[in-house]
Amino acid sequence: MTYAELAARLEVAGQQQVLAFWDELNDQQRTRLSAQLEAIDFELIKQLVQGEDAAPDWAALAAKAQPPRAIRRDSTDNEFSPEEAIARGEQALRAEQLGLILVAGGQGTRLGFDHPKGMFPLGPVSGRTLFQILIERLRAVAKRYGASIPLYLMTSPATHEETVAFLAEHDRFGLGKDDLRIFCQGVMPAVDAQTGKLLLAERDSLALSPDGHGGTLAAFVKEGCMADAQRRNIEHLFYCHIDNPLIQICDPQLIGYHLLASSDMTSQAVKKRAADEKVGNVVTVDGVTQVIEYSDLPPEYGRQTQADGSLKLWAGSIGVHTFRRSFLERAAGQKNSLPFHRAKKAVPYVDADGSEVKPTSPNAIKFERFIFDLLPLAENAIVVEVDASDAFAPVKNADGEPTDSPTTAKAAMVARDAKLLQDAGANIAEGVDVEVSPLWALDAAEAAAKCPTDEITEATYFV
Ligand code: UTP
């Protein structure tokens, strides 16, 4: 696109301010800025700024919200039994019908770590990174079922290069070359909250950020992963986030419920510990399963209880889903199948005079898509409850925060692994940290034959 064409396009969109420093830029800088601008759908930005895609009336939806169709941990009248689910899931794993989508494109702003979150050393004894922790779990599951389970790892421009280099340096933590495909998600520009104008992060660069974990859908198709999954006859994709070390990757039971229920999308959920817990609420409204974010759920609906005193809207989403591949294909083929959510954020920018501004309060709007917004499109969607202590300890905040920090996640890993060892017959001295590599034992049954007979009296990594 020539400068004249670009300028004309920006004028129509009312966004000429991004060319304010054009005359000062060298060729390379001009190429960079033009490439960013050419990738932008200005019509979409205009609609989003003008709020033409009006957000739903959350209060009205919350008023009608019911608990979702679910397999509950303590219920005796679930639709399917755990035994039949495990058998069905194991069968699909052995038949190599599963792939894993692991999303690691987030900027991890709250954690404040200078590298992709997957590179964060979290192993309480081993110091293993999140990448290693999750990839080892995948390898252990694949080994158990004598199957290949390809990993589709999503990065973003913010995390891509470092992730690629890190995994190459560590030989993909043992994953076969053919079993790893790294794909990069798209970006969205931030706009000034008052004016809707695009912001410059630098004179030659827009303020861009990853387009949310919902960006997985478009990127999975665009980057050739869907075609790869098709070629491999992968029928279902297990989806999860990089920031939870306890994820039960490709859990046969979850997969089994998904298959038995003929579900397009099956979500794992935990029983909320508090009415205002900061997790998305999986609910059913007029028969449609969907997530209402904690920030959108009016407290009076969050607090509602059932006859036994437990929370009515109990299901907290943990970002673990299983998708039927054909469902993802259908959703990807549908224009705007995922809405954009807005978030007001403090975004540094270069002002009209060329000075760098670092706002301390939110000045801009970022637009993100969320993967859980696929739920309303799914046929036979079902939720499967898991025990948080077994499956959910996210690393969101920096140490020092009371919840969801590296310290709380490490403690959860130690507690889970100690229980696994104790169930296998081990005797662990009070206050001693233990950590188990899933390649050593995926569960207590596997650990039983290998457990030390002497009391474990010092921090030990079982590997
Ligand atoms: P979060 O929404 O918690 O974001 O991501 P984050 O980047 O980890 O942290 P903050 O909000 O900046 O502090 C949940 C999961 O979704 C991925 C993240 O990498 C994480 O695994 N994600 C998020 C993406 O892959 N892309 C995105 O655009 C956003």
Side-chain angles (χ1 to χ4, degrees):
M1 200 180 276
T2 63
Y3 173 77
E5 284 165 342
L6 193 59
R9 214 173 145 216
L10 288 167
E11 191 173 340
V12 173
Q15 298 281 5
Q16 309 91 310
Q17 78 288 347
V18 292
L19 295 181
F21 306 103
W22 187 264
D23 292 344
E24 301 164 23
L25 304 182
N26 62 30
D27 284 350
Q28 205 185 347
Q29 290 173 313
R30 287 179 176 180
T31 307
R32 170 171 146 130
L33 184 57
S34 330
Q36 290 180 351
L37 289 166
E38 279 172 33
I40 288 180
D41 179 345
F42 286 103
E43 199 44 45
L44 172 67
I45 300 296
K46 192 170 137 203
Q47 284 169 13
L48 293 174
V49 166
Q50 294 177 346
E52 282 171 16
D53 60 327
D57 180 347
W58 293 116
L61 288 175
K64 291 197 281 181
Q66 298 295 325
R69 175 190 181 199
I71 304 288
R72 299 295 310 263
R73 290 180 57 231
D74 298 330
S75 171
T76 48
D77 58 357
N78 285 324
E79 291 172 58
F80 314 101
S81 74
E83 294 74 24
E84 57 182 331
I86 291 170
R88 186 67 190 86
E90 290 188 330
Q91 187 190 10
L93 281 160
R94 282 199 189 93
E96 302 197 328
Q97 291 177 347
L98 268 294
L100 173 66
I101 300 178
L102 176 58
V103 305
Q107 291 170 302
T109 24
R110 284 168 289 173
L111 180 61
F113 178 58
D114 254 357
H115 304 281
K117 226 187 236 186
M119 289 167 61
F120 192 89
L122 196 75
V125 183
S126 67
R128 287 180 299 162
T129 59
L130 276 161
F131 278 135
Q132 183 173 356
I133 290 169
L134 298 186
I135 289 177
E136 285 186 350
R137 177 111 190 169
L138 172 64
R139 284 179 52 212
V141 175
K143 191 173 98 190
R144 171 171 285 188
Y145 297 107
S148 146
I149 306 175
L151 167 59
Y152 301 98
L153 176 65
M154 187 170 83
T155 57
S156 67
T159 63
H160 188 74
E161 279 174 27
E162 252 190 298
T163 300
V164 169
F166 184 72
L167 291 177
E169 189 188 323
H170 293 277
D171 292 326
R172 302 169 302 281
F173 294 106
L175 208 59
K177 242 191 186 129
D178 292 346
D179 283 338
L180 174 65
R181 215 178 152 115
I182 304 180
F183 68 110
C184 191
Q185 72 179 107
V187 289
M188 279 294 278
V191 300
D192 182 280
Q194 300 298 324
T195 62
K197 301 280 186 195
L198 299 183
L199 294 170
L200 285 174
E202 292 165 60
R203 290 172 184 226
D204 65 344
S205 179
L206 298 173
L208 299 171
S209 38
D211 57 0
H213 41 63
T216 307
L217 182 63
F220 195 71
V221 175
K222 186 162 170 261
E223 301 303 317
C225 300
M226 190 75 92
D228 183 77
Q230 236 165 31
R231 207 166 34 241
R232 287 172 175 252
N233 294 321
I234 300 294
E235 298 292 341
H236 303 275
L237 289 141
F238 189 100
Y239 165 101
C240 59
H241 295 169
I242 190 63
D243 57 10
N244 174 12
L246 297 192
I247 300 165
Q248 299 168 348
I249 286 179
C250 292
D251 172 37
Q253 193 171 330
L254 179 75
I255 295 164
Y257 285 127
H258 169 78
L259 292 166
L260 292 169
S262 296
S263 162
D264 277 343
M265 176 170 175
T266 302
S267 295
Q268 241 180 13
V270 293
K271 186 158 92 177
K272 283 170 57 182
R273 284 160 293 185
D276 59 354
E277 191 171 337
K278 290 189 173 178
V279 287
N281 297 273
V282 195
V283 302
T284 300
V285 179
D286 295 335
V288 177
T289 308
Q290 64 182 87
V291 168
I292 303 182
E293 270 287 62
Y294 60 90
S295 47
D296 294 323
L297 183 70
E300 63 272 29
Y301 297 116
R303 279 195 299 265
Q304 294 172 100
T305 50
Q306 327 216 55
D308 63 1
S310 64
L311 289 175
K312 175 178 166 192
L313 304 182
W314 62 269
S317 173
I318 61 168
V320 174
H321 313 283
T322 299
F323 297 105
R324 183 182 296 279
R325 193 197 75 226
S326 58
F327 166 65
L328 288 182
E329 283 165 353
R330 200 169 75 232
Q334 212 172 308
K335 198 166 181 275
N336 297 331
S337 49
L338 291 176
F340 278 96
H341 294 246
R342 297 162 167 67
K344 273 192 111 180
K345 295 270 166 81
V347 175
Y349 65 99
V350 170
D351 71 10
D353 305 328
S355 315
E356 284 179 22
V357 184
K358 287 212 164 89
T360 48
S361 58
N363 62 311
I365 300 177
K366 283 188 177 181
F367 302 104
E368 282 193 327
R369 285 177 154 148
F370 296 157
I371 198 76
F372 54 64
D373 281 328
L374 284 171
L375 270 173
L377 307 182
E379 297 281 337
N380 301 325
I382 190 163
V383 168
V384 179
E385 184 189 354
V386 276
D387 183 351
S389 65
D390 258 351
F392 187 51
V395 179
K396 299 285 184 196
N397 303 318
D399 265 332
E401 296 287 329
T403 56
D404 300 346
S405 71
T407 301
T408 59
K410 283 179 194 176
M413 287 178 77
V414 169
R416 184 202 53 185
D417 289 351
K419 178 160 188 312
L420 181 151
L421 291 165
Q422 279 155 348
D423 287 349
N427 183 8
I428 307 169
E430 180 88 25
V432 168
D433 283 355
V434 288
E435 182 181 347
V436 174
S437 165
L439 291 168
W440 184 78
L442 249 180
D443 52 30
E446 211 177 329
K450 310 177 178 178
C451 257
T453 41
D454 293 344
E455 188 183 31
I456 303 166
T457 53
E458 58 188 40
T460 310
Y461 174 40
F462 292 87
V463 64

